[in-house]
């Protein structure tokens, strides 16, 4: 469970900063400034950070994390579609062909996809303490929480290392976005199939008491 949450955190920050190391290519293909993408991501992120506690309280940890993972995968699909549209425009449409021009379609798609990922991130970034409380004993919770949270920084580093190496051309841009999309898709499917709310046996006495307290109203 910790591995899934850490990978989702990594991917969300990778996507947030994916345009930073390739800003000129992003502006040319999507007609969007890389800073505008980060702003859209963070604005959506703040809104859903405020909603995250209520969503987790109503739906539970599993539904929140898996729902966020699926939303992030959908956002990545839109971003990959934007890259494909941009490559098509650059390859087949001339600048003066108004009848065939797809206009701002790549920009709209990449912004929409980025905002979906921004909406999903709080469900990976704010939930590590709850995951630790559900799955780890008292002496392990600080370490497990730190691992999940620090994978955000790994995601930022990945954006600069992989983006700078792969996305140096039109074809490279599409491949770069496709790699992110495939990674997000497989992690989301894995979380859908394997991510659980809590272990069958409580990891500590406090967790056992919490589970019993949650069952008591249902039994009444």
């Amino acid at each position: 469970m910790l591995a899934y949450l850490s990978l989702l955190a990594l991917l969300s920050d990778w996507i947030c900063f994916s345009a930073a190391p390739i800003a000129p290519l992003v502006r040319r293909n999507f007609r969007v400034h890389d800073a505008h993408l980060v702003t859209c991501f963070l604005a959506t992120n703040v809104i859903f950070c405020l909603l995250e506690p209520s969503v987790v309280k109503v739906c539970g940890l599993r539904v929140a994390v898996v729902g966020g993972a699926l939303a992030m995968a959908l956002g990545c699909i839109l971003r990959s579609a934007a890259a494909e549209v941009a490559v098509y425009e650059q390859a087949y449409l001339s600048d003066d062909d108004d009848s065939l021009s797809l206009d701002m379609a790549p920009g709209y798609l990449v912004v929409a996809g980025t905002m979906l990922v921004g909406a999903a991130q709080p469900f990976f970034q704010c939930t590590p303490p709850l995951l630790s409380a559900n799955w780890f004993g008292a002496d392990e919770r600080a370490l497990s929480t730190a691992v999940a949270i620090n994978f955000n920084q790994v995601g930022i580093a990945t954006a600069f290392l992989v983006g700078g190496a792969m996305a140096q051309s039109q074809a490279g841009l599409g491949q770069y976005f496709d790699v992110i999309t495939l990674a997000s898709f497989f992690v989301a499917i894995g979380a859908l199939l394997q991510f659980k709310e809590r272990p069958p046996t409580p990891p500590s006495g406090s967790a056992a008491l919490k589970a019993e307290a949650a069952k008591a109203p249902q039994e009444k």
Side-chain angles (χ1 to χ4, degrees), residues 56-121:
V56 172
K57 183 177 180 180
V58 172
C59 300
L61 179 64
R62 171 180 160 76
V63 172
V65 171
V66 172
L70 294 174
M72 183 167 70
L74 177 58
C76 289
I77 291 171
L78 291 178
R79 287 162 55 90
S80 286
E84 294 301 325
V85 171
V87 169
Y88 174 81
E89 281 189 317
Q90 295 286 338
Y92 298 106
L93 301 182
S94 62
D95 292 337
D96 56 354
D97 192 353
D98 294 332
S99 62
L100 294 177
S101 177
L102 298 178
D103 198 20
M104 298 295 288
Y108 291 136
L109 284 172
V110 79
V111 168
T114 300
M115 292 179 71
L116 265 176
V117 180
Q121 190 188 57

Side-chain angles (χ1 to χ4, degrees), residues 103-181:
D103 198 20
M104 298 295 288
Y108 291 136
L109 284 172
V110 79
V111 168
T114 300
M115 292 179 71
L116 265 176
V117 180
Q121 190 188 57
F123 301 105
F124 323 132
Q125 201 171 49
C126 303
T127 52
L130 179 57
L131 178 86
S132 297
N134 286 355
W135 282 88
F136 294 91
D139 57 340
E140 301 169 325
R141 291 172 188 166
L143 177 60
S144 65
T145 301
V147 168
I149 290 175
N150 283 319
F151 262 79
N152 289 292
Q153 310 308 316
V154 178
I156 297 172
T158 303
F160 284 89
L161 291 173
V162 179
M166 284 189 68
Q168 298 298 321
S169 64
Q170 295 293 124
L173 177 67
Q175 292 168 0
Y176 176 50
F177 275 43
D178 287 344
V179 165
I180 297 174
T181 298

